[in-house]
Amino acid sequence: MRLAKVTLCGFKSFADRTEFTFDDAVTCVVGPNGCGKSNIVDAIKWVLGERSAKSLRSKEMADVIFAGSAGRAPSGMSSVTLTFENPLLEKPIEPTAEDEAISDGSDDDGGDSLIQRSGLRRRPLPIDTEIVDVERRLYRDGGSQYLINNKKARLRDIRELFLDTGVGADAYSIIEQGKVDAMLLSSPVERRTVFEEAA
Amino acid sequence: MRLAKVTLCGFKSFADRTEFTFDDAVTCVVGPNGCGKSNIVDAIKWVLGERSAKSLRSKEMADVIFAGSAGRAPSGMSSVTLTFENPLLEKPIEPTAEDEAISDGSDDDGGDSLIQRSGLRRRPLPIDTEIVDVERRLYRDGGSQYLINNKKARLRDIRELFLDTGVGADAYSIIEQGKVDAMLLSSPVERRTVFEEAA
Amino acid sequence: SRDRFRDVFETIRENFAGDQGMFRKLFGGGNAEIRLMPNDGTGEVDWLESGVEIIASPPGKRPRSINQLSGGEKTMTAVALLMSIFESKVSPFCLLDEVDAALDDANVERFCGIMQEFLDRSHFIVVTHNRRTMQFADRLYGVTMQERGVSKRVSVSLDQVGDNGEIRATGDD
Amino acid sequence: SRDRFRDVFETIRENFAGDQGMFRKLFGGGNAEIRLMPNDGTGEVDWLESGVEIIASPPGKRPRSINQLSGGEKTMTAVALLMSIFESKVSPFCLLDEVDAALDDANVERFCGIMQEFLDRSHFIVVTHNRRTMQFADRLYGVTMQERGVSKRVSVSLDQVGDNGEIRATGDD
Ligand SMILES: Nc1ncnc2c1ncn2[C@@H]1O[C@H](COP(=O)(O)OP(=O)(O)OP(=O)(O)O)[C@@H](O)[C@H]1O
Ligand SMILES: Nc1ncnc2c1ncn2[C@@H]1O[C@H](COP(=O)(O)OP(=O)(O)OP(=O)(O)O)[C@@H](O)[C@H]1O
Ligand SMILES: [Mg+2]
Ligand SMILES: [Mg+2]
């Protein structure tokens, strides 16, 4: 499973729809100070379910919507989409005990759950499509949505989708600007959580 | 009044006596990671009276003494000297009310105070010598000393010497590695102290 | 969950501090140690509660706690720890924002060398101002604000990038 | 002491946020504001107690609180504040340890330009890995550990320094 692309529209300084594809092993993002490089990192954390405005360097969540500039009016909505490749596995995976437990629970609320946890898993993500699009939207009036392959979802579904993959808003695999030492400098007990996450 | 030179001996990674003279307007210190550049900044803070080991990146004060290396034994003492030029002023300065208050107090303990606060001031620092050497020493057995022009002094004397000059261990004019944003990111009340210091 | 934590902890510790571990690779030698801190009262290690302590000694130096390392040494130790965790549980992508800001040339080389080891299992998205890191990349994206306040993506080749991340002549997308 | 604080505060505010102030010089335009925060209860400003708030808007951007600026913008705003305080009360020397780590080329130029304004009143001791900052210096000192674990000072000229602070051929002292 690979992160193939990120699409930002109306997110922070990205007023226009902008796509970044990641077809290569190493992709570098460069540019002068204040141009929007770290906003891309914020965008990826946001769509993966980040709920704290502070950890997106904002006062409140509405601050992620393009606020206008000298020549442009503010946007009415902010949207970020992550596109993952989800190819067929050579050998399907047996469901773990955890998978069974989750799939029993999620049918309760009757949602036609997009995510198929029970039964053999034929792809890295528990959705039977070649491509998986995960989107988050926020409207000026405060309304917000998550979408998986263009179908309405909840934050819980996003979490379930990525369970055990190492992908998440506060996963160890996202290091924000100026925070590389944070893993070392936190207290011994906080340091422990990084190990727990990997467990 | 200029900082003309700093001399380190047995301070952190500077096992041997090492001098850095600052005759030019801008002096740059360069070199690979971990070679001792920030130790020079720690040394200058230390001799100006820094009392917190933590703000010298150490667990306890004895950690500033050269701890030995693959090929060397630990040092028994750590010493840092700052040398200031203290030329005659074109026009002597009248003592301020603060000066009078301090000079009245300091005679109490009978120290032949090196520092002359009362009367006209003929040089930037209240000592009547062309050069002023300020030294701090720490011995492995825990003994420590301050010296001004090679005469024993106390931390109070160091503070008094530099009163109102903007020179000090936690002055705004020393920015440690990674702390340039600290002035901005602290709370509004902490930010206030920087302004108070300059007052 | 206690056993699970214990297994992961042991794996990461080996990945980090072992003879062929990430610490020695990134520092070209030296030693490191990760251990759980025994409980003050009982002196026993508690797999479910104890905090984690890291001791590092760069080559030729005495062992020191993390706070006593230099800026660059801290960054390299943090990268070594990150890559040790990565080795025990790779994530599909790794996003690094100016992680190389404090590093000198030699350390930037080693940093790129370590990323190299993971290219068969994951991919990296790296924000940087450092030319050497840019040279390591397969693809460069420039982000500029030709229109003030509005970010735009431009295609960039290495020779268009200045010493510290400036994009000289923009290639329009 | 209240009046004294008030005077200094007004001076620094003017040095920082005025039309010819440090903020506009370092950002080549834009606006900044420093103000005392009124007390939650009374809504009054208390010269002896109130905290200080800083609002900054780089050119062409809307005013934002400090946290919403980028890494490089924060550094430049902090340097502008430092130099504003410096202007109101110069200290005999200024010691900066890798202050330019997050800056791109254009901002490093402006940073050097600001230091230039103070050379008649003070002198600067700057630790840096950035070649452009080194070029600005009158004198370079190299610090190396030829003997592992022991720091030594070497004389260095600019052409001996690599892209990121490495000292190539050492000139003995
Ligand atoms: N909602 C918003 N609308 C418009 N612009 C925004 C919004 N939120 C943040 N910004 C702008 O984005 C800019 C910050 O961008 P970012 O932090 O990504 O810069 P950067 O490229 O990482 O720079 P550096 O190299 O200094 O780290 C700020 O100047 C801020 O004004
Ligand atoms: N008491 C001591 N005795 C010997 N060495 C010490 C002592 N205290 C600190 N050191 C060493 O000094 C080194 C740190 O030096 P310093 O922080 O000055 O490096 P630096 O040149 O600033 O590097 P960077 O470019 O990474 O910031 C550490 O590696 C540490 O081992
Ligand atoms: Mg950034
Ligand atoms: Mg340093």
Side-chain angles (χ1 to χ4, degrees):
Chain A
M1 165 191 130
R2 275 176 63 87
L3 172 63
K5 188 168 72 177
V6 64
T7 311
L8 303 89
C9 188
F11 182 87
K12 288 205 171 187
S13 53
F14 289 89
D16 303 323
R17 183 190 162 84
T18 314
E19 283 184 11
F20 292 88
T21 51
F22 303 116
D23 300 334
D24 307 278
V26 182
T27 307
C28 268
V29 179
V30 303
N33 290 139
C35 275
K37 301 183 298 292
S38 297
N39 288 345
I40 302 168
V41 176
D42 290 343
I44 293 174
K45 285 177 63 180
W46 185 66
V47 73
L48 290 173
E50 178 61 66
R51 287 190 288 185
S52 140
K54 188 159 181 279
S55 100
L56 294 171
R57 302 180 294 155
S58 304
K59 277 195 172 145
E60 54 200 21
M61 214 37 115
D63 287 340
V64 303
I65 307 172
F66 177 67
S69 68
R72 298 243 192 155
S75 296
M77 177 182 97
S78 170
S79 153
V80 176
T81 306
L82 293 185
T83 304
F84 288 92
E85 292 166 8
N86 191 28
L88 281 172
L89 294 166
E90 279 158 36
K91 283 206 304 292
I93 322 174
E94 299 284 327
T96 62
E98 222 167 337
D99 283 338
E100 301 288 6
I102 290 182
S103 70
D104 291 348
S106 69
D107 286 346
D108 286 357
D109 51 16
D112 58 349
S113 172
L114 298 150
I115 302 169
Q116 292 124 14
R117 281 264 167 210
S118 54
L120 278 186
R121 178 120 47 105
R122 303 180 327 137
R123 297 177 189 271
L125 291 175
I127 286 190
D128 202 6
T129 57
E130 194 66 30
I131 296 280
V132 178
D133 278 335
V134 177
E135 183 181 358
R136 182 174 179 180
R137 290 188 193 158
L138 182 67
Y139 298 88
R140 256 281 161 230
D141 65 5
S144 80
Q145 275 174 338
Y146 286 95
L147 300 126
I148 298 178
N149 284 349
N150 257 337
K151 292 205 192 78
K152 273 211 187 136
R154 299 156 304 170
L155 176 54
R156 235 175 78 183
D157 299 322
I158 308 271
R159 294 255 159 94
E160 233 179 84
L161 179 67
F162 291 117
L163 198 72
D164 246 358
T165 60
V167 172
D170 47 6
Y172 49 85
S173 54
I174 299 179
I175 308 267
E176 291 158 70
Q177 189 170 5
K179 297 262 194 308
V180 62
D181 295 345
M183 215 198 274
L184 291 181
L185 300 179
S186 51
S187 75
V189 177
E190 280 166 47
R191 231 177 261 151
R192 197 196 148 85
T193 50
V194 180
F195 287 78
E196 280 166 352
E197 212 184 282
Chain B
M1 167 188 134
R2 274 175 61 90
L3 171 64
K5 188 167 73 176
V6 64
T7 310
L8 302 90
C9 188
F11 183 87
K12 289 204 171 187
S13 52
F14 289 90
D16 302 326
R17 183 191 163 84
T18 315
E19 286 185 7
F20 293 88
T21 52
F22 304 117
D23 300 333
D24 306 274
V26 181
T27 306
C28 268
V29 179
V30 303
N33 290 139
C35 274
K37 302 183 297 294
S38 297
N39 288 343
I40 302 169
V41 175
D42 291 341
I44 292 173
K45 285 177 64 183
W46 184 67
V47 74
L48 290 173
E50 178 61 66
R51 287 191 290 186
S52 139
K54 187 155 181 282
S55 99
L56 294 171
R57 301 180 295 153
S58 304
K59 277 194 171 141
E60 53 200 23
M61 214 37 113
D63 287 337
V64 302
I65 307 173
F66 178 66
S69 67
R72 298 247 191 150
S75 295
M77 175 182 99
S78 170
S79 154
V80 176
T81 306
L82 294 186
T83 305
F84 290 91
E85 290 167 6
N86 191 28
L88 281 170
L89 293 168
E90 277 159 39
K91 283 209 298 294
I93 321 173
E94 298 285 325
T96 62
E98 222 165 338
D99 283 337
E100 301 289 6
I102 289 182
S103 70
D104 292 346
S106 69
D107 286 344
D108 288 357
D109 49 19
D112 58 346
S113 172
L114 300 152
I115 301 168
Q116 294 123 15
R117 280 268 169 207
S118 55
L120 277 186
R121 179 118 54 100
R122 301 173 340 127
R123 298 177 189 272
L125 290 174
I127 286 191
D128 201 5
T129 56
E130 194 67 28
I131 295 282
V132 177
D133 278 332
V134 177
E135 184 180 355
R136 181 174 179 179
R137 289 189 193 154
L138 182 68
Y139 298 88
R140 249 285 161 230
D141 65 7
S144 81
Q145 280 174 332
Y146 286 96
L147 300 125
I148 298 178
N149 284 347
N150 257 335
K151 294 206 190 79
K152 276 218 186 123
R154 297 155 306 170
L155 176 53
R156 240 177 73 184
D157 299 322
I158 309 275
R159 294 259 159 93
E160 232 180 83
L161 179 67
F162 292 117
L163 198 73
D164 246 358
T165 60
V167 174
D170 47 8
Y172 50 84
S173 55
I174 298 180
I175 307 270
E176 291 160 71
Q177 190 169 3
K179 297 265 194 306
V180 64
D181 296 344
M183 210 196 274
L184 290 180
L185 300 177
S186 50
S187 74
V189 177
E190 278 167 54
R191 233 178 257 152
R192 191 195 154 86
T193 49
V194 180
F195 287 78
E196 281 166 351
E197 213 184 286
Chain C
S1 142
R2 180 155 110 187
D3 289 344
R4 192 168 159 152
F5 178 81
R6 189 189 198 120
D7 288 349
V8 167
F9 182 80
E10 297 293 1
T11 318
I12 293 173
R13 180 161 69 187
E14 186 54 33
N15 292 347
F16 177 76
D19 281 353
Q20 308 299 329
M22 289 296 172
F23 184 85
R24 286 172 64 83
K25 264 190 200 141
L26 275 166
F27 280 85
N31 275 310
E33 224 190 299
I34 299 186
R35 50 164 192 243
L36 286 179
M37 296 166 84
N39 177 325
D40 289 348
T42 65
E44 298 275 322
V45 160
D46 175 352
W47 286 98
L48 284 175
E49 292 297 332
S50 293
V52 172
E53 187 175 27
I54 301 172
I55 315 264
S57 28
K61 296 183 176 176
R62 301 199 162 223
R64 294 191 174 275
S65 85
I66 297 296
N67 298 334
Q68 295 172 298
L69 297 175
S70 82
E73 290 170 337
K74 267 188 213 147
T75 296
M76 294 298 275
T77 307
V79 169
L81 184 59
L82 173 73
M83 295 307 185
S84 306
I85 296 171
F86 226 53
E87 200 157 38
S88 81
K89 185 176 175 192
V90 173
S91 139
F93 67 90
C94 185
L95 187 53
L96 306 173
D97 193 349
E98 303 205 23
V99 159
D100 53 1
L103 301 183
D104 62 32
D105 279 356
N107 279 332
V108 169
E109 291 284 345
R110 290 206 191 103
F111 166 58
C112 294
I114 282 284
M115 282 197 285
Q116 185 75 36
E117 293 190 16
F118 288 93
L119 301 187
D120 56 341
R121 286 171 279 173
S122 178
H123 62 121
F124 290 89
I125 303 162
V126 182
V127 178
T128 182
H129 286 296
N130 190 307
R131 268 188 88 71
R132 179 60 206 96
T133 309
M134 293 175 201
Q135 284 161 358
F136 176 63
D138 307 306
R139 188 184 180 126
L140 290 184
Y141 280 120
V143 177
T144 64
M145 278 189 175
Q146 290 155 327
E147 182 188 341
R148 278 207 167 152
V150 177
S151 294
K152 185 175 149 51
R153 193 199 77 202
V154 291
S155 281
V156 178
S157 64
L158 192 64
D159 46 28
Q160 285 175 295
V161 191
D163 268 350
N164 217 9
E166 299 288 286
I167 300 170
R168 273 197 271 275
T170 59
D172 271 313
D173 253 356
Chain D
S1 144
R2 187 160 119 165
D3 290 344
R4 194 174 158 143
F5 179 79
R6 187 187 198 124
D7 290 349
V8 166
F9 182 78
E10 298 292 0
T11 318
I12 292 173
R13 180 161 69 186
E14 186 54 34
N15 292 349
F16 177 75
D19 280 352
Q20 308 299 328
M22 289 296 171
F23 185 84
R24 287 174 61 86
K25 266 190 199 144
L26 276 166
F27 280 85
N31 274 312
E33 224 191 298
I34 300 186
R35 51 165 192 239
L36 286 179
M37 296 165 85
N39 178 325
D40 289 349
T42 65
E44 297 274 324
V45 161
D46 174 350
W47 285 98
L48 284 174
E49 292 298 331
S50 292
V52 172
E53 187 175 27
I54 300 172
I55 315 268
S57 30
K61 296 182 176 175
R62 297 189 169 234
R64 293 189 175 274
S65 86
I66 298 293
N67 298 336
Q68 295 173 301
L69 297 176
S70 82
E73 290 171 337
K74 268 189 213 142
T75 295
M76 294 298 274
T77 306
V79 169
L81 183 59
L82 173 73
M83 294 308 182
S84 306
I85 296 170
F86 225 55
E87 201 159 38
S88 80
K89 185 177 174 187
V90 174
S91 140
F93 67 90
C94 185
L95 189 52
L96 305 172
D97 193 348
E98 302 206 23
V99 160
D100 54 2
L103 302 183
D104 63 32
D105 279 357
N107 278 333
V108 170
E109 292 285 341
R110 290 203 193 105
F111 165 59
C112 294
I114 282 284
M115 283 196 284
Q116 185 75 36
E117 292 190 17
F118 288 92
L119 299 187
D120 56 341
R121 287 170 281 173
S122 178
H123 62 124
F124 290 89
I125 302 163
V126 181
V127 179
T128 182
H129 286 299
N130 190 308
R131 264 186 93 67
R132 179 61 203 97
T133 307
M134 293 177 204
Q135 284 161 358
F136 176 64
D138 306 309
R139 192 190 175 113
L140 289 184
Y141 279 119
V143 178
T144 64
M145 278 190 176
Q146 290 154 325
E147 184 190 338
R148 279 212 168 145
V150 178
S151 293
K152 185 172 151 51
R153 192 199 76 201
V154 291
S155 282
V156 174
S157 64
L158 193 64
D159 47 25
Q160 286 174 292
V161 190
D163 269 350
N164 217 5
E166 297 288 288
I167 301 171
R168 272 198 276 274
T170 57
D172 272 315
D173 252 353

